[in-house]
Amino acid sequence: MTIKNPLVLLGGFLITSEAYSEIKKTFEKNFSRKVYIVEISRMDWLKTNSIAGWSNILNKVDYCVKNVLKESTTRKIDLIGHSSGGVMLRLYLSKDKFNGKNYNGCEFTSNLITIGSPHQARRATSLRKFVDEKFPGNFFKEVNYISIGGELTVNSSESSFLTKALAEKSYKSISGEKISTGDGLVPLSSSLLKGSQKIILPETSHSKIFGKNWYGINKRIIEWYRQINWN
């Protein structure tokens, strides 16, 4: 029996770890995969408009990863990043110093899975823009990149009032264009990272507040997991 890598999950902006409990449970029950969720507070996220704020979260990722590697016999991990967490994990792979620290995540990461992450964007925060310009697409060839995006019909019964009210404005804010296809928050043109394996999930929302069928419910988790070409 092949021993599978443990997984480390970094959630999205202002989303705390309990939101990802279904992912952890489904991976462990259905696929015999251990999942470790990085504990990030809402206050941590509110500080991510600065380099110090990003460093704080990346340090917590690194602490979790190093502890997981101590217990793992595979000597490798797989990373999962939801929303902004996926962009941050692209930086975590870097061999370059960031705010005085080398993370070198590419040395011990087999697969990076990003879920509804705002990658390519015409309008982005300075640090998200830095990541996309410095490490575009599947930059580290030793890592297998998988990007997952949702395609939610804005005016369907699957979408929430928030999606109906804000989706098109959000898509335009991120992409610069009024795009009708995305997960209620992030357009597909942004969530599907260039050079990665791309997975599109129909009628899937960014999180619970954008629609009932979000990336983190059991049936969606199984759907995207089984489409991944794992390293």
Side-chain angles (χ1 to χ4, degrees):
M1 179 178 172
T2 303
I3 299 174
K4 298 172 182 176
N5 294 336
L7 297 109
V8 173
L9 187 153
L10 176 62
F13 185 71
L14 296 180
I15 305 175
T16 50
S17 60
E18 62 270 14
Y20 303 100
S21 60
E22 190 69 19
I23 293 178
K24 178 178 173 69
K25 184 168 69 175
T26 301
F27 268 56
E28 292 178 357
K29 180 180 178 181
N30 292 69
F31 307 113
S32 301
R33 302 290 302 273
K34 289 288 291 181
V35 177
Y36 301 83
I37 302 172
V38 183
E39 293 290 340
I40 306 293
S41 70
R42 289 190 175 93
M43 185 58 68
D44 290 331
W45 281 113
L46 288 172
K47 296 176 182 177
T48 54
N49 60 342
S50 68
I51 290 173
W54 273 53
S55 290
N56 175 51
I57 289 181
L58 291 174
N59 288 339
K60 291 187 176 188
V61 171
D62 196 49
Y63 179 80
C64 181
V65 166
K66 295 297 170 54
N67 282 328
V68 170
L69 286 171
K70 286 177 185 176
E71 300 175 8
S72 172
T73 57
T74 67
R75 298 183 181 179
K76 289 278 189 175
I77 57 156
D78 295 329
L79 294 172
I80 302 176
H82 175 229
S83 197
S84 294
V87 180
M88 285 189 160
L89 290 178
R90 288 168 62 196
L91 178 56
Y92 181 70
L93 298 178
S94 173
K95 301 173 184 178
D96 299 342
K97 280 188 177 180
F98 179 73
N99 201 24
K101 183 168 180 176
N102 290 102
Y103 295 104
N104 296 316
C106 62
E107 293 186 357
F108 40 81
T109 301
S110 292
N111 301 279
L112 169 62
I113 302 150
T114 67
I115 305 171
S117 296
H119 295 301
Q120 300 90 202
R122 292 189 183 180
R123 295 179 63 185
T125 63
S126 59
L127 287 167
R128 289 214 323 259
K129 185 178 180 182
F130 164 77
V131 170
D132 207 48
E133 290 180 349
K134 182 80 171 175
F135 312 107
N138 58 332
F139 188 82
F140 295 100
K141 303 306 178 187
E142 60 268 50
V143 177
N144 181 35
Y145 290 72
I146 303 98
S147 59
I148 301 168
E151 200 167 28
L152 180 65
T153 304
V154 171
N155 292 314
S156 75
S157 60
E158 303 294 328
S159 66
S160 70
F161 173 80
L162 188 65
T163 293
K164 291 177 174 65
L166 299 179
E168 291 187 353
K169 292 177 183 177
S170 179
Y171 299 161
K172 185 176 181 181
S173 174
I174 292 170
S175 69
E177 300 175 2
K178 192 174 181 180
I179 297 173
S180 60
T181 303
D183 62 12
L185 181 67
V186 179
L188 276 178
S189 62
S190 183
S191 61
L192 300 179
L193 181 66
K194 293 176 181 177
S196 69
Q197 181 195 349
K198 301 174 182 67
I199 297 173
I200 300 173
L201 300 177
E203 298 307 331
T204 302
S205 66
H206 188 79
S207 67
K208 289 180 182 178
I209 64 172
F210 292 94
K212 57 186 177 181
N213 291 321
W214 81 287
Y215 302 107
I217 64 169
N218 180 266
K219 64 181 180 180
R220 289 292 186 264
I221 298 163
I222 292 171
E223 186 178 352
W224 56 257
Y225 183 95
R226 288 179 172 164
Q227 291 186 61
I228 293 173
N229 298 320
W230 297 90
N231 252 4

